[in-house]
Amino acid sequence: EKNITLDRATRIELSCRLDNNYSPLKSLQVTWKRGNETIRHINKVENSWSIQLMILDNSQLGTYSCTLKGEKEFSAKFNLQVPKIEGKEKPIVSYEGDTAVMICKSFGYAPIAWTWYMTNGSGQIAIDDSLLADKYVINGISANVTHLKILKLTKEDDGVYWCEASFELGRSKGKLKLRVLSLMVPLKPFLAIVAEVVILVTIIFLYEMYSKKKEKRAEDEKEFDQIEQL
């Protein structure tokens, strides 16, 4: 099985070659298919069978296969696809009020255009930075890289984002997740420690107060006994 990446209209030849160890096999039936549809016009050269295709649009992409049947059966698959977009597997974590930057890349292929979306329920909403310039900034370092900068993060910005690259033969998407945390989240362990220290200091203070009162009471009782003896 082989993956073949195409970003624009092109002529391509797919070829299946039988290993020399199996060349003595006789009465081989060769079938080429696109999905479940049989393709004719097979070119044979020695132990190799090929088809030539002119890929003009994304309807011609998909899985092509060749099957050789005889005393044994052999098959091979070719997956014709548009370039894949690399997002980020791990969520991007930031805090309320901060700025988050998300990046998508298309290695080796330059898209015609980039579009960013954010998930809203079950649908997707395109992000237009020209209308919301104080919230979003979209730019690219190069033709195959795009950046989405989200300013002044709020809890509403938490969610799933998509970058979509448009190629001559179709579109490809990358997925990114953004987690927006409250500023109280990193402070919780610190506040817990502070609370423990305050409680400990209060206990020590109360104990010292109690000890001093106890000592004073003991001194008062001793002084009273001395007066009584006198």
Side-chain angles (χ1 to χ4, degrees), residues 26-44:
K26 304 296 182 182
S27 302
L28 285 173
Q29 294 181 348
V30 182
T31 306
W32 276 93
K33 287 186 176 183
R34 179 187 178 276
N36 295 320
E37 178 188 356
T38 301
I39 302 173
R40 300 184 183 278
H41 308 296
I42 300 169
N43 301 319
K44 181 180 183 302

Side-chain angles (χ1 to χ4, degrees), residues 166-180:
S166 298
F167 298 96
E168 188 178 319
L169 288 179
R171 299 178 179 181
S172 185
K173 286 186 176 182
K175 182 179 179 181
L176 303 98
K177 292 181 181 179
L178 174 64
R179 289 187 60 197
V180 181

Side-chain angles (χ1 to χ4, degrees), residues 206-227:
L206 292 175
Y207 178 76
E208 288 182 351
M209 289 282 292
Y210 173 76
S211 299
K212 287 180 179 179
K213 285 183 178 180
K214 191 174 179 181
E215 289 176 3
K216 190 174 185 305
R217 192 181 299 116
E219 288 177 0
D220 290 345
E221 288 178 357
K222 185 177 180 181
E223 185 178 349
F224 179 77
D225 289 342
Q226 288 175 349
I227 294 170

Side-chain angles (χ1 to χ4, degrees), residues 120-132:
N120 184 12
S122 58
Q124 294 178 357
I125 300 176
I127 297 173
D128 190 342
D129 61 333
S130 63
L131 296 178
L132 297 168

Side-chain angles (χ1 to χ4, degrees), residues 70-129:
E71 300 168 24
K72 296 184 179 181
E73 183 175 320
F74 307 90
S75 63
K77 288 184 179 180
F78 303 86
N79 299 314
L80 274 57
Q81 59 192 18
V82 293
K84 290 185 177 180
I85 302 305
E86 180 183 315
K88 190 177 178 72
E89 293 183 5
K90 294 182 179 179
I92 299 166
V93 180
S94 194
Y95 296 96
E96 289 180 318
D98 285 350
T99 297
V101 178
M102 289 181 279
I103 303 172
C104 280
K105 299 178 182 179
S106 170
F107 287 103
Y109 300 91
I112 299 170
W114 288 98
T115 308
W116 281 92
Y117 298 89
M118 66 179 300
T119 302
N120 184 12
S122 58
Q124 294 178 357
I125 300 176
I127 297 173
D128 190 342
D129 61 333

Side-chain angles (χ1 to χ4, degrees), residues 106-220:
S106 170
F107 287 103
Y109 300 91
I112 299 170
W114 288 98
T115 308
W116 281 92
Y117 298 89
M118 66 179 300
T119 302
N120 184 12
S122 58
Q124 294 178 357
I125 300 176
I127 297 173
D128 190 342
D129 61 333
S130 63
L131 296 178
L132 297 168
D134 60 336
K135 185 64 178 177
Y136 302 106
V137 178
I138 298 174
N139 54 40
I141 297 175
S142 61
N144 63 332
V145 180
T146 179
H147 287 190
L148 171 64
K149 184 184 291 185
I150 305 176
L151 310 173
K152 301 173 186 176
L153 289 173
T154 66
K155 288 297 290 182
E156 286 69 30
D157 296 317
D158 190 291
V160 177
Y161 291 78
W162 300 84
C163 57
E164 181 182 82
S166 298
F167 298 96
E168 188 178 319
L169 288 179
R171 299 178 179 181
S172 185
K173 286 186 176 182
K175 182 179 179 181
L176 303 98
K177 292 181 181 179
L178 174 64
R179 289 187 60 197
V180 181
L181 305 179
S182 169
L183 288 173
M184 292 300 294
V185 172
L187 290 177
K188 281 181 179 179
F190 174 74
L191 293 176
I193 294 172
V194 170
E196 289 179 2
V197 171
V198 170
I199 293 171
L200 183 60
V201 170
T202 303
I203 292 172
I204 294 172
F205 177 75
L206 292 175
Y207 178 76
E208 288 182 351
M209 289 282 292
Y210 173 76
S211 299
K212 287 180 179 179
K213 285 183 178 180
K214 191 174 179 181
E215 289 176 3
K216 190 174 185 305
R217 192 181 299 116
E219 288 177 0
D220 290 345

